[in-house]
Amino acid sequence: MSSSTSLQLFNSCGATFDHDRRRRFNSLSSTSSYTDVTYIINKSTTLKHNARLTTRFNGTKIYAMSTNSSFVNMNLNEYMVTLEKPLGIRFALSLDGKIFVHALKRGGNAEKSRIVMVGDTLKKASASAGGPVVAVKDSTDILKMLTEKTGSFSLVLERPFPPFPIQKLQLAGDNTFNQGRVSAATWNKSILASELRTSSECSGNSGFAVFSTKFLNSHGWKLLNNQQGLEPSRLQKDILTQPISPLVSVFSEEEPGDGEWGYGNFPLEEYIKALERSEGELYYNHSLGMRYSKITEQIFVGSCMQTEADVKKLSSAGITAVLNFQSTKEAENWGIDSKLINETCQRSNILMVTYPIKDADSFDLRKKLPFSVGVLLRLLKKNHRVYVTCTTGSDRSPTCAIAHLHWVTDSPLHAAHNYVTGLHTCKPDRAAVVWATWDLIAMVDRDKHDAPVSHAVTFVWNGREGEDVCLVGDFTGNWKEPIKATHKGGSRYETEVRLPQGKYYYKYIINGNWQHSTSSPVERDESGNINNVIVIGDTASLKPSMRHQEKDANIVKVIERPLTDIERFRLAKAARCLAFSICPIKLTPKK
């Protein structure tokens, strides 16, 4: 592999990555993966948050960095790669105006980078060798890059969701839609020749024909596809991506010799099998625009507002308030002008309430869910028609709606979940609702060890094989009834205990000797004894503290079960107490 090829990865957002989304992003490339604050370049090289690393991977120079002030704004689906010429990429223009990677040259720089994949959409590119990165709107924007013989060029590509259907390219071969000779005609007077990027000799009158569609830009395609001025309905629950659009043309840089073109450095059969396994998964396509669904007469749920037109559509639907969980930085990464959206809401008499919750962060959602539901209840009490929104409209916003139905209207969780998911295609964080439910109940029922169980705890002891291990603590008959641990192989022993929320002291009895685990938090009791300590659950608050979680080998899982009558009463009481602790004017916690 040539050492002239370089790869740069950027992450311009400080939010936690979605683990499921990250797995889909890298499911077909075993050479790079992502964690919350560590970037793994290969098995032996890692990069910590806000640091920069230069290394060599199979002879390729690799750069990776994480920063909050990147000179290129990218959303979480995009990445940036810098390659030396020749790139070794064949691009295709689809009928919907997108330019994407159609094939990779065998042994080319793009294939060597081991990050570029067929189907990735080209969003931005260097205007010239080593020059600034500019947005790519049509094929003419990358002509300079294709014609240059030498130099390095930076590309910003977007990984598609769902995975790109390469098998359709394989079946279709290299044939484009009518071999790139498509006749398009329109008699719409609003479509001018300049918008279609055709010959300047055209008069641009009501009769118009074009026979070389590869020169059309995306704006012209949109006009052609909507000659009757019809807008697709936005009140729909399906936010899945559409099948691959027919190809208009295929183009690449000029290189001597034909070379061999393929679909990347992985077996195509394995890729196709991975596509089949991913069927039924939920993916977000930002290019489809805002999508929303009506949940109740007063509650609507959907994806983020992207344009002024989206705000006007909501106003037309009777929306008078928006509860937004998308942060300003998150909106910026998706190319959304938050200031413009807020000003448009103000002009449309729509109250905008923004309460950022980290995307794909179940813990952050759990801690902030009580306040979110409280604000929603306050808005509903003021007779607002509320649009609850996040970026995708498939996680944070429907989770809030489900929590509201469960806590405020006394609907069972499974019924609330099935009701919302039946109306709106989404994947809410059900576990976050369960965690937050017990946090709310804990407001009324503090540290009562005799309460019904709410969590399953797996206590883990890492010792030596062949040891006799028992668990003893507050929850084992007040230290009098040890529980024998189960040997799981090697040095690992486990004991599962179901417990209510609260704080518990415990120890292990190893071959008759009492010991505490060094893999879990410790604390001195009133008598000065050193014990392990575990705090199960938490208490809901309008101002949640995101305290650092100590390292603990134990595993705590929340239990979802039908609530007792007394638990339902306490839940409703706690939810309303929180809601009425919010100032109805400022929609912030009362001082």
Side-chain angles (χ1 to χ4, degrees):
M1 180 175 293
S2 170
S3 62
S4 62
T5 304
S6 63
L7 169 68
Q8 291 180 315
L9 296 177
F10 294 89
N11 166 34
S12 58
C13 178
T16 305
F17 285 108
D18 181 347
H19 294 275
D20 291 335
R21 185 180 303 166
R22 185 170 63 247
R23 282 196 295 269
R24 290 194 292 269
F25 186 93
N26 294 304
S27 61
L28 303 171
S29 176
S30 60
T31 60
S32 61
S33 60
Y34 296 81
T35 59
D36 294 341
V37 293
T38 303
Y39 298 84
I40 303 174
I41 307 304
N42 54 40
K43 293 183 179 179
S44 62
T45 309
T46 59
L47 173 67
K48 294 297 182 180
H49 191 62
N50 287 331
R52 178 167 180 158
L53 174 72
T54 303
T55 186
R56 288 186 178 274
F57 180 59
N58 291 339
T60 300
K61 202 173 185 180
I62 296 177
Y63 300 91
M65 64 189 305
S66 171
T67 176
N68 293 325
S69 59
S70 173
F71 62 88
V72 178
N73 286 324
M74 294 181 288
N75 63 52
L76 296 181
N77 300 343
E78 296 176 347
Y79 64 93
M80 183 173 181
V81 57
T82 301
L83 301 171
E84 295 287 337
K85 294 283 289 187
L87 305 178
I89 300 178
R90 186 166 64 190
F91 294 100
L93 174 65
S94 62
L95 194 60
D96 57 7
K98 291 183 179 179
I99 297 175
F100 65 92
V101 178
H102 181 266
L104 301 177
K105 190 171 185 178
R106 299 290 187 186
N109 287 335
E111 186 183 71
K112 291 177 182 178
S113 72
R114 301 183 67 83
I115 187 67
V116 180
M117 293 180 66
V118 172
D120 291 354
T121 303
L122 182 62
K123 305 300 287 292
K124 300 174 184 177
S126 298
S128 58
V133 176
V134 297
V136 174
K137 296 181 180 178
D138 56 70
S139 58
T140 59
D141 293 332
I142 60 172
L143 290 179
K144 181 73 172 177
M145 179 180 67
L146 296 177
T147 55
E148 289 279 357
K149 301 296 183 183
T150 59
S152 62
F153 286 82
S154 296
L155 310 177
V156 174
L157 297 137
E158 183 175 36
R159 185 62 43 85
F161 291 139
F164 187 79
I166 287 181
Q167 74 274 26
K168 294 190 177 182
L169 288 181
Q170 185 189 37
L171 293 174
D174 290 338
N175 293 329
T176 57
F177 184 60
N178 199 23
Q179 284 71 48
R181 298 185 294 275
V182 186
S183 59
T186 177
W187 280 262
N188 187 340
K189 294 181 179 180
S190 64
I191 301 179
L192 303 179
S194 59
E195 293 171 334
L196 295 174
R197 299 291 295 274
T198 59
S199 172
S200 60
E201 297 177 359
C202 181
S203 62
N205 57 22
S206 58
F208 188 87
V210 60
F211 296 94
S212 185
T213 56
K214 64 182 180 181
F215 296 110
L216 302 184
N217 66 8
S218 56
H219 180 57
W221 273 118
K222 290 179 181 179
L223 292 173
L224 283 174
N225 291 332
N226 187 28
Q227 296 184 42
Q228 304 302 321
L230 300 176
E231 278 286 336
S233 172
R234 300 301 179 99
L235 185 57
Q236 52 185 315
K237 62 183 181 180
D238 188 5
I239 61 172
L240 301 182
T241 56
Q242 300 299 317
I244 180 175
S245 177
L247 303 185
V248 172
S249 62
V250 176
F251 49 92
S252 65
E253 56 200 333
E254 295 181 4
E255 288 188 64
D258 294 332
E260 183 183 357
W261 294 87
Y263 300 105
N265 46 25
F266 49 84
L268 185 59
E269 295 76 13
E270 293 183 12
Y271 187 94
I272 294 175
K273 290 179 181 178
L275 291 180
E276 294 173 351
R277 290 194 299 268
S278 69
E279 289 183 1
E281 290 288 338
L282 185 63
Y283 302 95
Y284 172 63
N285 189 341
H286 192 72
S287 63
L288 293 179
M290 181 183 69
R291 300 293 175 102
Y292 63 89
S293 301
K294 180 179 178 181
I295 305 301
T296 68
E297 285 300 322
Q298 283 186 275
I299 301 176
F300 289 69
V301 165
S303 58
C304 58
M305 298 171 287
Q306 302 181 24
T307 63
E308 293 178 273
D310 290 338
V311 178
K312 295 176 182 177
K313 289 181 185 300
L314 292 178
S315 180
S316 302
I319 301 298
T320 58
V322 173
L323 178 55
N324 175 36
F325 300 132
Q326 185 186 60
S327 67
T328 303
K329 185 64 178 177
E330 189 180 351
E332 181 183 339
N333 291 335
W334 285 103
I336 300 172
D337 189 341
S338 298
K339 183 178 179 181
L340 178 62
I341 296 295
N342 291 337
E343 291 174 351
T344 308
C345 284
Q346 189 174 9
R347 291 194 298 270
S348 302
N349 294 319
I350 295 178
L351 175 63
M352 170 70 86
V353 180
T354 299
Y355 183 53
I357 299 177
K358 292 180 181 178
D359 186 18
D361 190 328
S362 187
F363 181 75
D364 196 58
L365 178 58
R366 162 201 172 185
K367 301 295 288 185
K368 294 179 179 178
L369 199 54
F371 182 80
S372 304
V373 173
V375 171
L376 177 59
L377 181 58
R378 274 295 196 182
L379 293 172
L380 297 177
K381 289 290 184 182
K382 296 176 72 174
N383 294 319
H384 280 292
R385 211 174 196 192
V386 186
Y387 181 52
V388 187
T389 179
C390 57
T391 297
T392 66
S394 62
D395 40 37
R396 290 165 285 180
S397 52
T399 300
C400 179
I402 290 171
H404 169 79
L405 295 175
H406 181 40
W407 299 345
V408 179
T409 69
D410 197 28
S411 299
L413 178 56
H414 71 275
H417 181 275
N418 293 342
Y419 176 73
V420 172
T421 55
L423 294 172
H424 183 71
T425 301
C426 57
K427 193 175 182 180
D429 193 337
R430 187 164 174 165
V433 179
V434 180
W435 276 102
T437 297
W438 293 118
D439 291 348
L440 277 170
I441 294 175
M443 290 179 59
V444 182
D445 192 7
R446 290 177 177 269
D447 296 333
K448 292 185 179 180
H449 291 180
D450 58 346
V453 298
S454 56
H455 297 76
V457 185
T458 301
F459 291 90
V460 179
W461 171 263
N462 291 306
R464 296 178 180 177
E465 189 171 357
E467 291 179 327
D468 181 54
V469 181
C470 292
L471 174 69
V472 64
D474 293 335
F475 43 85
T476 62
N478 197 22
W479 300 83
K480 297 178 181 179
E481 302 173 5
I483 303 174
K484 187 172 180 61
T486 302
H487 183 221
K488 293 296 183 179
S491 62
R492 187 179 180 89
Y493 296 81
E494 294 183 0
T495 309
E496 183 173 311
V497 183
R498 296 193 165 210
L499 297 170
Q501 291 198 174
K503 180 178 179 180
Y504 300 90
Y505 289 115
Y506 66 95
K507 271 188 174 181
Y508 294 93
I509 303 177
I510 312 299
N511 299 327
N513 299 316
W514 289 53
Q515 299 181 31
H516 66 269
S517 171
T518 57
S519 302
S520 299
V522 296
E523 187 175 292
R524 290 187 181 274
D525 60 18
E526 296 177 354
S527 303
N529 300 313
I530 298 178
N531 300 311
N532 286 117
V533 62
I534 186 169
V535 178
I536 300 174
D538 203 351
T539 303
S541 172
L542 290 181
K543 297 180 178 180
S545 59
M546 301 300 173
R547 66 175 185 273
H548 176 70
Q549 293 178 300
E550 294 186 68
K551 182 180 180 180
D552 196 341
N554 301 326
I555 303 169
V556 182
K557 296 181 180 180
V558 69
I559 297 175
E560 179 182 343
R561 59 169 176 79
L563 301 180
T564 64
D565 289 343
I566 189 65
E567 287 171 340
R568 289 167 52 204
F569 171 77
R570 289 170 176 169
L571 176 62
K573 177 181 178 181
R576 285 168 173 78
C577 285
L578 272 181
F580 289 102
S581 297
I582 298 174
C583 175
I585 305 300
K586 296 183 178 180
L587 295 175
T588 57
K590 294 179 180 178
K591 295 183 179 179

